Amino acid sequence: MKHVPLRPALSTLPPYVPGARVPVGAAAYKLSSNENPYPPLPSVVAAIADAAVDVNRYPDMYATELTEAVAGHLGVQPEQVVAGCGSVAVLGHILAAFCDAGDQVVYPWRSFEAYPIAVTLAGGESVQVPVRADGRLDLPAMAAAVTERTRVVLVCTPNNPTGPAVHADELAAFLAAVPRDVLVVLDEAYVEFVRDPQAPDGLAVLAEHRNVVLLRTFSKAYGLAGLRVGFAVADARLAAGIRAASTPFGVSHVAQLAAVASLRAVDELLDRVQRIVGERGRLLAGLREQGWQVPDSEANFVWLPLGEDALRFAQEATAAGVLVRPFAGDGVRVSVGEPEATDLVLKVTSGFRR
C-alpha cells in the first residue's frame, strides 16, 4: 500500500524538549524553562483583558502599533522592526527569507536547541561549532567554519544554555572576518539581563553592519512567555524580506497590546529584571562557595556542566521540589527564580555527589 510520504528531513529532526512542568496538585519550583518568576504587571493584565473582547477579529497583520513602540524604545525606524510569534518563529522567518535548500547555517553547539530544528525545516544544512570548555562561544572557529555555501550565522549571546555573553572586541573581529553577504543573527533573547561591561551594544553593531540582524523577545525580561511575541531588528531592506516570509497575522491582538503595555511600563519591569540579576549573583556565589566550577552567566539561568551526571542531578532536584532542565551528557540549566527557589537549589547542589 502506498502512503503519502513525509519529508525525509523529518526522520532526523531533533525534537524540541520543553522544560518539565509542575504536575497538577504538586508543589515545586519550575526552573526548567527560563521563565520570569513574576506575574504580569497590573497594567499589562488590564491591557490583556481589554484585548480579549476583540479576539473575534483578526489582529493587525503587521503589528503596526507594536513595531512603532519597539522602534521608539530602541531608537530605530519602524520599518526596521518585524514582529512574530516569539523569537523562535521570527528565526524561522529569517531562515525562510535567506536560505535555499542545501545552504549552510553556522551556529554554536551546545546552544539554543531550536536552532537545528529551524535550520532543518528551512532545508538548510547545520554546521555546529563546539562551545569552549568555559561555556563561551568560539567565534574564531565559527568564522573559520564559514564557506561559500554559508548563508547565515547564528550568534547566541548570552548563550543558552551555558550563560556567557560574547565580548565586543571578539564580535568585532568575527564580523570583520565574515563576508558581508553572509547574514549574522545576534540572538539577544536575554539581553536585558546582561551586566558584563565587555558585552557589545547590539544596536550599535547593527548600525555599523548591514548584514546583522538582532533577534529579541518579550518572553523573558518582559514576562510574556505565554503570549508568544518576539521581533527582529534589521536594515530596512532585510526587514522587508523577513516580513514577506512571515506568517500572516502571526502575532495575536492580545500579545500585541500586552507587549505595548509592557514597553510603557519598562522601568517597572526592568526593576524586576534587576532583582533577578541579583538572585543570579547569589546563586552563582553560592555554587562557587560549594566548590562548583560554573561559567559566568549574563542571562536568567546558570549552567552546571555535569556531563553524564546531568539526568541524575535533575532527578534528585525533582525529588527535592525543584524542576531543572537537563541536557543528557552535557549539563543542567537552572533558571533563576524566587529567593526560596535559590535556597532550595543550593541545598540540592550542596548534597549532590559528583
Side-chain angles (χ1 to χ4, degrees), residues 5 9 15 31 34 52 106 121 194 204 207 210 224 229 256 258 268 299 340 349:
L31 306 181
N34 295 345
V106 175
L121 290 177
V194 175
R210 299 183 70 176
L224 299 183
V229 54
Q256 290 182 35
E268 192 173 357
E340 297 81 5
T349 56

Side-chain angles (χ1 to χ4, degrees), residues 3 89 92 104 107 112 127 142 155 163 210 265 283 310 326 354:
H3 298 280
Q104 292 181 340
Y107 55 87
F112 184 32
V127 178
M142 289 178 64
V155 178
R210 299 183 70 176
L283 179 55
R354 288 172 278 173

Side-chain angles (χ1 to χ4, degrees), residues 175-245:
L175 290 170
V178 173
R180 294 297 180 90
D181 61 350
V182 173
L183 189 75
V184 177
V185 178
L186 294 186
D187 186 347
E188 298 186 314
Y190 302 91
V191 66
E192 292 88 357
F193 299 97
V194 175
R195 297 296 181 270
D196 186 346
Q198 298 184 72
D201 178 343
L203 290 166
V205 173
L206 173 69
E208 186 176 350
H209 298 273
R210 299 183 70 176
N211 63 325
V212 166
V213 173
L214 305 184
L215 190 59
R216 296 190 178 183
T217 183
F218 282 91
S219 293
K220 311 303 181 184
Y222 291 88
L224 299 183
L227 289 179
R228 313 309 302 128
V229 54
F231 59 93
V233 188
D235 172 81
R237 183 183 69 85
L238 302 184
I242 300 168
R243 195 175 296 112

Side-chain angles (χ1 to χ4, degrees), residues 19-32 317-324:
R21 302 186 66 85
V22 179
V24 175
Y29 291 100
K30 184 171 182 278
L31 306 181
S32 53
T318 299
V322 58
L323 303 181
V324 297

Side-chain angles (χ1 to χ4, degrees), residues 23-343:
V24 175
Y29 291 100
K30 184 171 182 278
L31 306 181
S32 53
S33 297
N34 295 345
E35 295 157 333
N36 192 313
Y38 298 105
L41 295 171
S43 60
V44 177
V45 173
I48 292 171
D50 289 344
V53 301
D54 293 321
V55 296
N56 58 310
R57 306 293 184 184
Y58 284 110
D60 175 0
M61 179 165 163
Y62 296 114
T64 306
E65 185 181 5
L66 174 57
T67 56
E68 289 177 350
V70 169
H73 177 63
L74 298 181
V76 299
Q77 296 301 311
E79 58 266 27
Q80 292 182 260
V81 180
V82 185
C85 183
S87 61
V88 175
V90 179
L91 173 61
H93 303 329
I94 292 170
L95 295 176
F98 296 98
C99 287
D100 278 322
D103 286 340
Q104 292 181 340
V105 180
V106 175
Y107 55 87
W109 197 255
R110 177 171 293 275
S111 191
F112 184 32
E113 63 184 311
Y115 290 163
I117 300 172
V119 172
T120 300
L121 290 177
E125 178 183 315
S126 287
V127 178
Q128 298 180 347
V129 177
V131 172
R132 289 170 18 185
D134 59 0
R136 302 188 63 79
L137 303 195
D138 191 342
L139 288 182
M142 289 178 64
V146 173
T147 70
E148 292 183 355
R149 293 176 55 202
T150 305
R151 299 301 304 129
V152 179
V153 181
L154 308 178
V155 178
C156 190
T157 178
N159 187 50
N160 175 17
T162 58
V166 303
H167 289 163
D169 56 348
E170 59 186 0
L171 180 61
F174 170 78
L175 290 170
V178 173
R180 294 297 180 90
D181 61 350
V182 173
L183 189 75
V184 177
V185 178
L186 294 186
D187 186 347
E188 298 186 314
Y190 302 91
V191 66
E192 292 88 357
F193 299 97
V194 175
R195 297 296 181 270
D196 186 346
Q198 298 184 72
D201 178 343
L203 290 166
V205 173
L206 173 69
E208 186 176 350
H209 298 273
R210 299 183 70 176
N211 63 325
V212 166
V213 173
L214 305 184
L215 190 59
R216 296 190 178 183
T217 183
F218 282 91
S219 293
K220 311 303 181 184
Y222 291 88
L224 299 183
L227 289 179
R228 313 309 302 128
V229 54
F231 59 93
V233 188
D235 172 81
R237 183 183 69 85
L238 302 184
I242 300 168
R243 195 175 296 112
S246 298
T247 304
F249 309 107
V251 184
S252 74
H253 180 61
V254 176
Q256 290 182 35
L257 292 196
V260 170
S262 296
L263 287 173
R264 292 186 181 127
V266 67
D267 290 341
E268 192 173 357
L269 283 166
L270 292 182
D271 178 66
R272 290 180 165 188
V273 169
Q274 188 55 41
R275 277 183 267 169
I276 294 171
V277 169
E279 202 60 28
R280 176 185 74 196
R282 187 168 79 89
L283 179 55
L284 285 170
L287 289 168
R288 287 166 177 161
E289 287 174 5
Q290 293 175 3
W292 289 77
Q293 293 184 347
V294 292
D296 290 327
S297 176
E298 294 297 323
N300 68 336
F301 55 82
V302 300
W303 175 247
L304 305 179
L306 280 163
E308 296 302 324
D309 291 326
L311 294 178
R312 182 166 62 88
F313 177 88
Q315 292 170 351
E316 291 192 16
T318 299
V322 58
L323 303 181
V324 297
R325 175 66 171 90
F327 296 84
D330 284 339
V332 173
R333 189 190 66 198
V334 182
S335 306
V336 177
E338 302 87 341
E340 297 81 5
T342 301
D343 294 339

